[in-house]
Amino acid sequence: MHRGARGGRQGGAGPKASETGDLSQFWSFRAEPKDMDGTTLIKSIDDVIDARAVTTVFQPIVRLDSWRRHRPEVVGYEALTRGPAGTPWEAPLELFGAAGRAGRLAELDWVCRAAAYRAAIDAGLPLGLTLFVNAEPAALGVPCPPDLAPAILDAQLRLRVVVEMTERAIADDPAALLTAAEACRGSGWGVALDDVGAEPASLAVMPFVHPDVVKVDRHLTQQPEGAYAARVVNAIVAYAERTGAAILAEGVETREHVAAALGMGATLGQGWLFGRPGPLPEDVAERSATLPVPFVAPPAGTGTRTPYEIVAGRRPTAEATKRMLMPLSRYLEEKALDAAEPPILLGCFQEARFLTPPTARRYATVARTAALVCALGTEIPSAPVPGVRGAAIAGDDPLRGEWNVVVVGPHFAGALVARDLADDGPDDDRRFTYALTYDRDLVLEAARALLHWIVPT
């Protein structure tokens, strides 16, 4: 879907009002002032948000193995937001852009989700069908406005929901993304990663979001040839094979697109070939076709354990000096330079002084192409190097005694975890106990632990 449409709220190329009929009947304007005929006046983005003046349209999601039938089997719908017709905020790009500039993006996100839930419930969407709803992870950490709480609670009780997130969220606020995914699963809902393949970085993000549904970007569905498409498909299929996640192809508009989607392993499809965004069908309450994938069990939480504690608890450790460990560290950092399959690089330096100028230059180089680069240590600023996300830790933090380098890509994963033995003397002769692992699951567990230390900016 169109990346500028805030995770698919525009629904790709999105229909005009004339293509979906008059949608004004679905709006609920509750703000003052009103004009003489009682209609709410919408003169600013604040009026839109105050009046909850958004509408929801729905696009069907179908099983691809049923597409040849007269009526393809619909397993769910994606909820897409529109602003008030005839206003500058009708299109999602303008709507969310204006809300961001006004500092009300989180509130608008709650408004859109509540509107989608209420519309689905009012139409009688059964539990047998799944509702896909876009969400900003940061907004999920903001309290729900009281007037929207009933719709949110009703949705938890009466709907089967998959919450869609985009890969850009892990760079914007990785802690919020992980927390949001955990919160969704705590509500019994699923998680989808949207626009996968639109940017190479999305491939490295998949295991951190741990989505139940991987939504392949429309451009890959419509242009499946080439080396880049092959890399994306291989990474998606590998993830789905490991986890049991479903693959959903977006932007399906022709029979050729269906063939391409099936060829990349997709079992679900969405696009104009199956239906354009609009109101839910009148007989939706009578339909039932459960999404053909159980929600993926999330990885076990890491609690407050550090990367060293996680890895050393399951792998043998050895003792070495810093001089001996530096080549191992640099090897992992060099693996993070893969521009074709950009990884995530997380480094824990103990103290800011150990982020030396040569190391800082290496991290800056990695950051030009990597999905995310982070550096943690005492007195490390929020942006220690261009493109690098920094996080300061306290002097008594358990991480203060650890030197960690963790790299996670679509296919490669490696981690060096080391604990300082507190020697005196020259820096290069300092001794560490360490472990080195390329076990993907173990590396991911260590990486998730480090991400929880990163404080949102």
Side-chain angles (χ1 to χ4, degrees):
M1 291 197 174
H2 194 296
R3 293 182 52 73
R6 301 203 60 80
R9 287 196 170 93
Q10 192 172 3
K16 301 183 181 194
S18 60
E19 295 173 333
T20 58
D22 180 10
L23 299 173
S24 61
Q25 60 182 307
F26 299 99
W27 295 328
S28 177
F29 296 173
R30 299 196 295 269
E32 298 291 346
K34 297 183 178 180
D35 65 12
M36 295 185 64
D37 66 3
T39 303
T40 299
L41 297 177
I42 301 295
K43 295 184 177 180
S44 69
I45 185 61
D46 290 317
D47 291 338
V48 175
I49 298 172
D50 291 341
R52 309 318 198 204
V54 301
T55 190
T56 305
V57 291
F58 301 87
Q59 187 170 37
I61 293 170
V62 308
R63 291 183 62 126
L64 286 177
D65 60 7
S66 71
W67 78 278
R68 293 182 184 276
R69 302 175 191 171
H70 175 67
R71 185 177 181 180
E73 185 177 33
V74 175
V75 298
Y77 292 87
E78 180 176 0
L80 306 167
T81 295
R82 304 288 186 263
T87 72
W89 311 283
E90 179 177 3
L93 275 175
E94 284 68 29
L95 177 68
F96 286 92
R101 292 188 293 273
R104 301 185 69 180
L105 184 58
E107 184 178 1
L108 177 62
D109 194 76
W110 277 110
V111 169
C112 293
R113 281 183 281 125
Y117 299 149
R118 180 53 59 201
I121 291 171
D122 289 348
L125 187 74
L127 277 171
L129 297 178
T130 301
L131 181 67
F132 285 69
V133 178
N134 296 273
E136 292 292 336
L140 294 175
V142 175
C144 175
D147 65 301
L148 303 178
I152 304 300
L153 179 59
D154 278 354
Q156 291 175 339
L157 298 173
R158 300 169 62 180
L159 297 175
R160 189 172 195 259
V161 175
V162 169
V163 179
E164 296 190 20
M165 304 176 189
T166 57
E167 89 286 347
R168 71 175 182 278
I170 200 166
D172 294 342
D173 192 342
L177 178 64
L178 297 181
T179 300
E182 291 170 3
C184 291
R185 298 188 192 283
S187 298
W189 291 352
V191 175
L193 185 61
D194 198 10
D195 300 331
V196 174
E199 297 290 344
S202 60
L203 303 178
V205 173
M206 276 194 297
F208 294 94
V209 181
H210 207 69
D212 306 280
V213 180
V214 178
K215 301 191 73 174
V216 181
D217 186 73
R218 64 184 298 114
H219 295 99
L220 288 178
T221 302
Q222 297 176 2
Q223 299 177 22
E225 299 85 8
Y228 176 70
R231 286 195 297 270
V232 173
V233 170
N234 273 281
I236 291 173
V237 170
Y239 171 80
E241 185 178 37
R242 285 192 296 266
T243 65
I247 301 174
L248 189 160
E250 300 179 300
V252 179
E253 298 180 0
T254 67
R255 293 186 177 186
E256 289 74 21
H257 297 162
V258 173
L262 290 169
M264 66 177 69
T267 56
L268 304 173
Q270 179 180 359
W272 285 8
L273 182 64
F274 309 122
R276 298 192 177 195
L280 288 169
E282 293 183 0
D283 66 344
V284 71
E286 302 169 11
R287 300 186 181 188
S288 181
T290 303
L291 192 73
V293 60
F295 289 163
V296 177
T302 60
T304 59
R305 291 183 300 158
T306 66
Y308 179 86
E309 292 169 341
I310 291 168
V311 176
R314 291 159 58 183
R315 292 291 182 271
T317 61
E319 188 177 303
T321 64
K322 180 177 179 179
R323 190 192 319 274
M324 296 168 61
L325 294 178
M326 281 302 298
L328 301 178
S329 174
R330 287 173 182 158
Y331 170 79
L332 289 173
E333 291 164 357
E334 288 173 1
K335 296 296 287 185
L337 287 168
D338 188 344
E341 296 183 346
I344 288 174
L345 169 62
L346 309 174
C348 184
F349 291 89
Q350 299 185 274
E351 302 172 14
R353 63 192 177 97
F354 295 134
L355 182 59
T356 62
T359 303
R361 287 193 292 271
R362 288 199 301 275
Y363 271 58
T365 300
V366 172
R368 292 173 192 155
T369 56
L372 175 68
V373 180
C374 295
L376 302 89
T378 61
E379 300 182 351
I380 286 185
S382 61
V385 181
V388 175
R389 178 75 173 268
I393 59 176
D396 59 352
D397 192 293
L399 280 180
R400 167 66 177 75
E402 292 191 11
W403 171 18
N404 302 306
V405 182
V406 183
V407 178
V408 179
H411 300 291
F412 175 84
L416 168 67
V417 297
R419 176 166 284 173
D420 195 337
L421 293 177
D423 287 339
D424 294 327
D427 181 55
D428 284 349
D429 293 332
R430 286 192 299 135
R431 290 178 305 133
F432 293 79
T433 55
Y434 81 96
L436 186 66
T437 181
Y438 296 94
D439 180 310
R440 186 173 184 85
D441 291 337
L442 194 53
V443 173
L444 283 169
E445 192 174 344
R448 290 189 187 100
L450 271 184
L451 284 175
H452 279 292
W453 257 271
I454 299 171
V455 179
T457 56

